[in-house]
Amino acid sequence: MNLPAILPCCFNRLHCSPSITPPTHFLRFVIRKKGSVVCRLSDNNKDDDSVQDNNSHQDNDQPLENTSLENNDGPQPDQQTGLEQDGTDVQVASGSPLPGVKVPQQLNESIRIPKETVEILRNQVFSFDTFFVTSQEPYEGGVLFNGNLRGQAAKTYEKVSKRMQEKLGDDYKLFLLINPEDDKPVAVVVPRMTLQPETTAVPEWFAAGAFGLVTVFTLLLRNVPALQSNLLSVFDNLDLLKDGLPGALITAFLLGVHEVSHHLVATEVGIKLGIPYFVPSWQIGCFGAITRILNVVPNREDLLKVAAAGPLAGFSVGFILLLSGFILPPSDGIGIIVDPSVFHESFLAGGIAKLLLGDVLQEGSPISVNPLVIWAWAGLVINAINSIPAGELDGGRIAFAMWGRKASARLSAFSIGLLGISSLFNDVAFYWLVLIFFLQRGPIAPLSEELTHPQNKYMALGVVVLFLGLLVCLPYPFPFSNQPAL
C-alpha cells in the first residue's frame, strides 16, 4: 500500500502553516477629504430627514473594501451629521455591515433610520458613562458613531443595548466594533430587517445531502488502494468498495464527533449553525465540513468556544484511536505492511510510533501495523486541515476570536502564501487552497461586540487546537533506529 499517497499529510512535508484569507475589513467607511471612500446621502435627504444609502444595489456578501468607490474632492461633510455643509449630497459607501448576509434590494432602498431616531440614539441611548459620541456617519441604512468608550466593552454593550431596546424596541441592532482605520471603538446601528440570512437557489438539505453522498463514495474509495490507481475501474469493480467500509466508518465517526461537538456547544451559547456540507476528497476521503453560522455571534469568547469544540473533540478521539492502533495487534495477524519512512510525514504520528515501537521501527525495514493506525491518522489529518487559521475554517475563527480581526487577517495572508507554495508540489494542498479561496475565505461576519478578549482558559484551548494541527502536519525530522531489534 502506498501510504504517502494515502496520507499526504503536510503536503510533501511542507509545513501546514496557518492560513487565512487576505486581510479584509468591512469597516472601510471613514469619510475622507481625498480618500477612496465617499459618503453620500440621497437627493431626498433634506425632504424626508433620513439617512440612506442611495448607491446602486450590490451583493452584500462582499466585504466593503472590495466595493468599487469613487474619490471625492468636494466639500467636506460636517463631522456631527455627515451632511455636506454646502447642501450637496454625500454618498454612503455600499456594502453590508454583515459580510455574507445579503440585504434584499427592496429593504436596501426603503429601510431608513429617521433623523429623529438618530438623535435619540445620540442623545439618549449613548451617554458619557458608556460611549461618548463625537461624530456620526451614515452607513447603509444605518449609522456609524465615532466616540470614546467608557468602561469595559462588554458592560457598555449591555447597557447601550438595554437603553436602545427601551427607547426604540427591537427594530435596530447594535454592533460595538473596532475601526480598522485607527483601531478605535465604533458603534454601528442598523435596522434588524437588513440582517436577513442569505438564501440559496437549491434547498440547503438537498445540497448537503448530495455532497454527503459523494463524500460516502470518496471515503470508501480512499480505503481501497487498488481502485485509486484507476478511478474508472471503480464502475467495473463496485464490489471492491465494501473493502473500504471499516476505514470509511472510522473516518466518518471522527467527522461526526467533530460536527456534533460544534452543534452541542453552539446550542449552549445560543449560536445557530446551518447544515454541514461535507467536502469530498479522493485523496483523503473528505476535507471536513463547511458549516455556516446563521445568526449574529454575541462576542469573541462564544465564537472561540464553538470553533474550538469540533477540533478538540476530533483530535481527542483520533489520538485515542491512533494509540490503540499502535498497541493492538492486527486482527488477521498481518495487518498493513508499511515502510517506516511514512511516519516521517507527521511529527505526532512519528513521535508516537517511535515511543511505542522503539527499535522495531528501523529505517528501510517494513513493519506490520494495525489498519486502525492509518484510519485514525486520516481522521487526524482532516481535523488538522480544518484547524488551519484560514478564513472561516475552524482555525480561522479561532484566530479571529483570540487575536481580533486585523491580526488574524495578517496571519491569514501569511498562511495562505505558505499553502500556495505547498500547492506547487502537492495536489491536496492545491485543492484545499482552491476550496478556501472560493468557499471559506471569509471575511467572518461582525460579532455583536468584538472588543472583549476571551478568558485565558478559552484562549489556552484555542492555542491547543492550533498546536495540535501543527503537530499532525509538521514532519518528524529525527531518524529512526538503524540498530537491529533484540
Side-chain angles (χ1 to χ4, degrees), residues 296-334:
V296 180
V297 178
N299 51 59
R300 288 161 55 182
E301 185 172 294
D302 286 346
L303 179 65
L304 180 55
K305 290 178 183 178
V306 174
L312 278 176
F315 281 132
S316 299
V317 176
F319 182 73
I320 293 173
L321 293 177
L322 184 67
L323 286 177
S324 301
F326 278 114
I327 295 173
L328 298 175
S331 59
D332 59 0
I334 299 176

Side-chain angles (χ1 to χ4, degrees), residues 14-29:
L14 288 177
H15 293 193
C16 280
S17 304
S19 54
I20 285 188
T21 164
T24 57
H25 299 289
F26 69 97
L27 287 175
R28 302 287 186 181
F29 39 55

Side-chain angles (χ1 to χ4, degrees), residues 192-207:
R192 284 188 183 273
M193 293 186 67
T194 63
L195 307 178
Q196 300 296 320
E198 183 179 357
T199 58
T200 56
V202 179
E204 213 174 27
W205 61 266
F206 179 83

Side-chain angles (χ1 to χ4, degrees), residues 282-304:
W282 68 268
Q283 301 100 333
I284 58 176
C286 179
F287 279 129
I290 297 174
T291 306
R292 294 194 306 156
I293 296 177
L294 302 181
N295 62 341
V296 180
V297 178
N299 51 59
R300 288 161 55 182
E301 185 172 294
D302 286 346
L303 179 65
L304 180 55

Side-chain angles (χ1 to χ4, degrees), residues 20-24 65 409 412-413 416 437 441:
I20 285 188
T21 164
T24 57
E65 64 180 11
S412 170
I416 277 285
F437 186 81
R441 61 174 172 166

Side-chain angles (χ1 to χ4, degrees), residues 100-138:
V101 178
K102 287 191 175 183
V103 180
Q105 181 155 1
Q106 64 270 22
L107 295 180
N108 193 38
E109 294 176 349
S110 62
I111 296 297
R112 308 175 181 183
I113 297 185
K115 189 172 183 179
E116 293 80 3
T117 301
V118 175
E119 291 300 318
I120 292 175
L121 288 168
R122 181 184 179 93
N123 299 321
Q124 300 181 38
V125 173
F126 298 104
S127 62
F128 69 91
D129 64 331
T130 55
F131 187 87
F132 184 75
V133 176
T134 58
S135 65
Q136 66 195 51
E137 302 163 9

Side-chain angles (χ1 to χ4, degrees), residues 304-380:
L304 180 55
K305 290 178 183 178
V306 174
L312 278 176
F315 281 132
S316 299
V317 176
F319 182 73
I320 293 173
L321 293 177
L322 184 67
L323 286 177
S324 301
F326 278 114
I327 295 173
L328 298 175
S331 59
D332 59 0
I334 299 176
I336 297 178
I337 307 299
V338 300
D339 190 287
S341 63
V342 300
F343 294 114
H344 286 294
E345 297 292 333
S346 169
F347 193 97
L348 181 66
I352 293 175
K354 177 62 178 177
L355 178 66
L356 297 181
L357 301 181
D359 291 338
V360 173
L361 197 64
Q362 301 178 45
E363 301 286 359
S365 299
I367 61 173
S368 173
V369 297
N370 192 310
L372 188 57
V373 171
I374 307 304
W375 303 334
W377 191 350
L380 288 172

Side-chain angles (χ1 to χ4, degrees), residues 154-365:
K155 292 182 178 180
T156 294
Y157 183 87
E158 184 179 355
K159 289 180 181 179
V160 174
S161 296
K162 184 177 180 180
R163 288 177 187 172
M164 191 166 70
Q165 187 175 30
E166 292 173 351
K167 298 291 183 181
L168 304 172
D170 293 325
D171 294 336
Y172 301 97
K173 172 64 179 175
L174 169 69
F175 294 90
L176 193 56
L177 310 166
I178 291 290
N179 187 342
E181 295 287 342
D182 53 16
D183 294 327
K184 293 182 178 180
V186 293
V188 178
V189 178
V190 298
R192 284 188 183 273
M193 293 186 67
T194 63
L195 307 178
Q196 300 296 320
E198 183 179 357
T199 58
T200 56
V202 179
E204 213 174 27
W205 61 266
F206 179 83
F211 275 91
L213 288 175
V214 177
T215 301
V216 170
F217 174 77
T218 55
L219 284 173
L220 293 170
L221 179 64
R222 178 231 176 268
N223 289 281
V224 185
L227 298 179
Q228 292 180 7
S229 58
N230 185 0
L231 293 179
L232 296 179
S233 67
V234 172
F235 302 100
D236 298 325
N237 300 277
L238 289 176
D239 290 341
L240 288 178
L241 287 178
K242 68 178 184 296
D243 296 336
L245 186 59
L249 288 176
I250 293 296
T251 306
F253 173 67
L254 290 172
L255 289 171
V257 167
H258 181 114
E259 293 304 317
V260 168
S261 299
H262 277 316
H263 282 266
L264 289 177
V265 176
T267 301
E268 181 182 346
V269 300
I271 295 176
K272 297 179 181 179
L273 299 181
I275 301 174
Y277 288 77
F278 290 97
V279 182
S281 166
W282 68 268
Q283 301 100 333
I284 58 176
C286 179
F287 279 129
I290 297 174
T291 306
R292 294 194 306 156
I293 296 177
L294 302 181
N295 62 341
V296 180
V297 178
N299 51 59
R300 288 161 55 182
E301 185 172 294
D302 286 346
L303 179 65
L304 180 55
K305 290 178 183 178
V306 174
L312 278 176
F315 281 132
S316 299
V317 176
F319 182 73
I320 293 173
L321 293 177
L322 184 67
L323 286 177
S324 301
F326 278 114
I327 295 173
L328 298 175
S331 59
D332 59 0
I334 299 176
I336 297 178
I337 307 299
V338 300
D339 190 287
S341 63
V342 300
F343 294 114
H344 286 294
E345 297 292 333
S346 169
F347 193 97
L348 181 66
I352 293 175
K354 177 62 178 177
L355 178 66
L356 297 181
L357 301 181
D359 291 338
V360 173
L361 197 64
Q362 301 178 45
E363 301 286 359
S365 299

